[in-house]
Amino acid sequence: METYLVFVDAVNNSNKFWSAKAEGSNLIVQWGRVGYQAQTKVHTLGSYQRAVAKFYNLVAEKKSKGYRESQPQMDGERSISDIRRAIQLLNAIRQAVANRNFSDSYILALNEYLKIVPTPLGMQIYPYRVYRTVVDVDYQQELLNSLLVNEPVAVQSKELPKSEPETVSLKTISKNFWRHL
């Protein structure tokens, strides 16, 4: 039993995750800023039932503080509806970037997008500079669109021979996006 939660508030410089996993009589909890080294705490609770009870209590506490369920990576395991929602949000973000109109609706779309696609943004978030141009947004959309294809998308990597394609994942999306900037 495990979960991965994120809390995003770009205006207030929050972009953090919290995860928990019940294994035997232990509950392993990790937390930190998206894209940075996680802190870890192991709760030794004596039985699996106690670990599960602690798991549910901590998850409820985090959700009450505004954390939302997500996944550490965007891949073929992610629901099609999540991918499509992320693309819709990028359309709204693209329009704001194109018009240089960074209103509250842009901030809401950006926050919601980052909850679906956790993205390392550094230690200081400048919400108006996450996407500098429409080209940046389009590049991110291309990567997400590639996840909607029935078969895994091959991305040729410098490290891999051409016969060994790499499946596009959130790590690939984030890494390629930030390299693109």
Side-chain angles (χ1 to χ4, degrees):
M1 163 171 299
E2 62 185 291
T3 192
Y4 184 87
L5 307 174
V6 294
F7 180 83
V8 179
D9 182 350
V11 172
N12 292 311
N13 200 37
S14 286
N15 186 26
K16 48 192 175 179
F17 73 93
W18 182 89
S19 68
K21 183 177 185 178
E23 285 184 343
S25 63
N26 293 327
L27 179 62
I28 303 161
V29 178
Q30 293 190 314
W31 69 93
R33 195 164 185 87
V34 173
Y36 285 82
Q37 180 77 27
Q39 295 183 56
T40 302
K41 181 173 184 177
V42 177
H43 300 270
T44 303
L45 299 160
S47 73
Y48 182 71
Q49 291 77 15
R50 287 183 183 159
V52 169
K54 178 94 170 170
F55 172 90
Y56 283 120
N57 286 339
L58 291 175
V59 168
E61 180 183 312
K62 289 296 179 183
K63 286 184 175 182
S64 73
K65 292 180 178 179
Y67 280 77
R68 180 175 174 226
E69 290 185 28
S70 190
Q71 289 178 309
Q73 61 183 11
M74 179 74 85
D75 55 21
E77 304 284 318
R78 195 66 184 247
S79 77
I80 297 299
S81 62
D82 280 347
I83 297 169
R84 288 192 174 133
R85 180 63 183 145
I87 291 169
Q88 287 175 338
L89 291 164
L90 277 177
N91 285 331
I93 291 167
R94 185 184 196 284
Q95 186 175 7
V97 170
N99 296 327
R100 308 304 296 162
N101 179 11
F102 301 112
S103 64
D104 289 344
S105 61
Y106 165 80
I107 296 297
L108 291 172
L110 179 63
N111 283 340
E112 189 176 344
Y113 176 78
L114 293 171
K115 290 174 187 173
I116 298 170
V117 183
T119 306
L121 298 176
M123 291 303 286
Q124 184 62 45
I125 301 171
Y126 298 103
Y128 313 106
R129 293 193 298 179
V130 171
Y131 294 104
R132 295 180 186 143
T133 68
V134 294
V135 173
D136 298 335
V137 178
D138 292 345
Y139 182 74
Q140 190 78 3
Q141 265 187 326
E142 285 176 35
L143 293 169
L144 287 172
N145 281 327
S146 71
L147 296 175
L148 293 175
V149 179
N150 292 337
E151 297 179 3
V153 176
V155 176
Q156 294 300 329
S157 169
K158 293 178 184 171
E159 297 81 34
L160 298 174
K162 290 187 179 191
S163 62
E164 297 179 34
E166 176 185 359
T167 302
V168 174
S169 68
L170 175 62
K171 287 181 181 178
T172 304
I173 290 171
S174 295
K175 188 186 224 180
N176 287 337
F177 174 71
W178 295 109
R179 190 179 305 147
H180 176 72
L181 291 178

